[in-house]
Amino acid sequence: MTFALVILFCGTLTWNSADAVTAEEMRTHLSTTLSSTYYTYVRPVIDQSTVVDVSADLYLIGINNFDNSEQKLTTTAYLEITWTDEIIARDWQNNGVETIYVPQTDVWIPDLALQNGFETLTGLGDKFLYVKVEKSGAVTWRPYQVFESACEVDVTYFPFDKTMCELKFVIWSNTKDSATIRTGTVGMNTELYEGNAAWNLLSATSSNFTTSKSTGVTFSIEIKRKPLHYLINIMIPVILLGLLNVFVFVLPASSGEKTGFSVTAFLSFAVFLTIISTELPRNSTTVSTFSAYLVIMTLVSTLMVVVTIIQLRIFNRADDTPISRFWHSIESCVRRVQCAICVGSGHVAMEKANEETTWQSVTDAIDFVGFYGFVIFMVVFTFIILLVSTIGGNT
């Protein structure tokens, strides 16, 4: 027992003496290790024909913004990039010093850049960042940055769409014969990720890629849009507006408000179409199903305006004006349909069947066909669009 305590005491003294490094010793160590013979533009291998192996892991902090119109993803993250500097390991002077931290400008670092940067090719890090260097020559560089990357978005099922965005990092100047990069043991880490108000993070993966001259790593982020905002502020008002538009055929022709009502509904669809166009990318690659829905509803609203104008022209004709066979046939068909579905009691239906065709009855027939026809069309069409968007967005 006594012998064990003595061994433990001696070991503690040895450990403390190894850790007890003064500021003067550290300064001397740094001046000798990173001496004037160390050049940051010389690859950190003793044999310059050897390839420098670099590994990189990405730690995602958050998705700041995704601009649909510009197709730009803004993320906050940091990379953990590691490699071995054989020259520093060879020139290490003080074995009592295990680790040093030096500015990234004082040691060789790979010229790693975000290849698919949104505006320009962006380098990593800044001169105020420090690099961790160990006695073995292992170097760890952790540049923290806000990345702006281009991301092509597929808005076919907007606002139930999901998008795969990539952050591609490549060693730009050094060819793959001098420096290569690959994903580390972690790959892409999301433990520090903070949720976004507009997007859900579905998956985060990493992979390696090689071109004819260089190597790189790709960090892929799959995100899905949260549709609640668009449902409440755009989709539901548009659907209700479409149903409200049909009630132009309920207004009596004598009120003088039919044309104003239909034109106002048409302009409302045009306003919503403008709002949607500002939210979606400015390209012709894909078309949103909801944009197609708005365009078709605008065309339907246009048709309602035309029908209303024709109806008012018919309504204001003199009673002694002869009724053409075309309008007489339409009015007779509507009268048969009303009798078939038993409009009112039986004797009322018989009376309607025996009524003489007038311009007023033709106007009423147009109201009947327009109201029920457009209601059935819009309900079925809206249901199909919502079904396609939700199913397509979840596949």
Side-chain angles (χ1 to χ4, degrees), residues 160-179:
F160 303 98
D161 55 321
K162 54 185 176 181
T163 302
M164 178 69 75
C165 295
E166 295 180 342
L167 282 79
K168 292 184 176 182
F169 295 94
V170 63
I171 296 181
W172 195 250
S173 300
N174 289 284
T175 62
K176 59 185 178 182
D177 297 328
S178 58

Side-chain angles (χ1 to χ4, degrees), residues 26 47 58 64 216 303 313 347 372:
M26 180 64 75
D47 183 1
L58 182 72
N64 299 348
L303 181 60
R313 185 175 179 85
H347 69 278
Y372 288 101

Side-chain angles (χ1 to χ4, degrees), residues 59-62 76 78 142 144 189-195:
Y59 291 80
L60 182 64
I61 305 299
T76 300
Y78 72 88
R142 303 175 72 186
Y144 186 97
N189 187 286
T190 57
E191 292 180 357
L192 301 176
Y193 175 75
E194 297 179 0

Side-chain angles (χ1 to χ4, degrees), residues 155-161 225 227 229-242 268-269 271-277 279-280 286-298 381-390:
V155 294
T156 303
Y157 304 111
F158 174 89
F160 303 98
D161 55 321
R225 193 190 307 271
H229 168 76
Y230 297 98
L231 283 173
I232 294 176
N233 294 284
I234 297 179
M235 294 192 72
I236 292 178
V238 166
I239 294 172
L240 294 178
L241 181 62
S268 299
F269 279 115
V271 170
F272 276 106
L273 190 60
T274 304
I275 294 173
I276 288 296
S277 64
E279 292 286 337
L280 301 181
T286 59
V287 177
S288 169
T289 54
F290 189 66
S291 294
Y293 173 81
L294 271 175
V295 171
I296 293 176
M297 293 302 293
T298 305
F381 183 62
T382 301
F383 176 76
I384 293 174
I385 290 295
L386 291 177
L387 186 65
V388 170
S389 298
T390 52

Side-chain angles (χ1 to χ4, degrees), residues 349-375:
M350 291 299 297
E351 290 178 359
K352 290 185 67 68
N354 296 325
E355 285 180 356
E356 183 182 356
T357 302
T358 62
W359 287 117
Q360 177 63 50
S361 63
V362 172
T363 304
D364 295 339
I366 294 175
D367 280 333
F368 180 85
V369 174
F371 181 79
Y372 288 101
F374 282 115
V375 163

Side-chain angles (χ1 to χ4, degrees), residues 51-244:
V51 178
V52 180
D53 292 322
V54 181
S55 64
D57 299 310
L58 182 72
Y59 291 80
L60 182 64
I61 305 299
I63 297 174
N64 299 348
N65 182 44
F66 185 83
D67 194 320
N68 294 287
S69 58
E70 294 186 351
Q71 302 190 80
K72 177 178 69 173
L73 175 68
T74 305
T75 54
T76 300
Y78 72 88
L79 287 161
E80 186 170 278
I81 307 166
T82 58
W83 67 93
T84 300
D85 194 313
E86 297 178 0
I87 298 176
I88 290 180
R90 182 195 62 186
D91 297 339
W92 201 273
Q93 296 296 319
N94 192 338
N95 290 328
V97 178
E98 298 289 339
T99 304
I100 59 175
Y101 291 88
V102 296
Q104 69 174 49
T105 54
D106 290 351
V107 296
W108 180 91
I109 58 174
D111 53 333
L112 199 62
L114 181 62
Q115 185 181 31
N116 60 332
F118 182 73
E119 292 184 351
T120 183
L121 186 68
T122 305
L124 300 180
D126 205 322
K127 59 183 180 180
F128 74 88
L129 291 177
Y130 279 71
V131 175
K132 177 183 177 182
V133 184
E134 301 178 18
K135 182 172 65 175
S136 61
V139 183
T140 303
W141 180 34
R142 303 175 72 186
Y144 186 97
Q145 204 155 327
V146 176
F147 299 102
E148 292 185 349
S149 57
C151 178
E152 185 176 353
V153 57
D154 184 1
V155 294
T156 303
Y157 304 111
F158 174 89
F160 303 98
D161 55 321
K162 54 185 176 181
T163 302
M164 178 69 75
C165 295
E166 295 180 342
L167 282 79
K168 292 184 176 182
F169 295 94
V170 63
I171 296 181
W172 195 250
S173 300
N174 289 284
T175 62
K176 59 185 178 182
D177 297 328
S178 58
T180 60
I181 186 171
R182 54 181 173 78
T183 56
T185 56
V186 176
M188 190 166 184
N189 187 286
T190 57
E191 292 180 357
L192 301 176
Y193 175 75
E194 297 179 0
N196 184 271
W199 295 87
N200 284 323
L201 179 64
L202 298 181
S203 63
T205 58
S206 60
S207 60
N208 305 318
F209 70 91
T210 303
T211 64
S212 59
K213 295 183 179 180
S214 61
T215 59
V217 293
T218 301
F219 299 101
S220 303
I221 304 172
E222 187 178 17
I223 54 178
K224 182 177 177 60
R225 193 190 307 271
K226 295 180 180 179
L228 183 61
H229 168 76
Y230 297 98
L231 283 173
I232 294 176
N233 294 284
I234 297 179
M235 294 192 72
I236 292 178
V238 166
I239 294 172
L240 294 178
L241 181 62
L243 295 175
L244 184 64

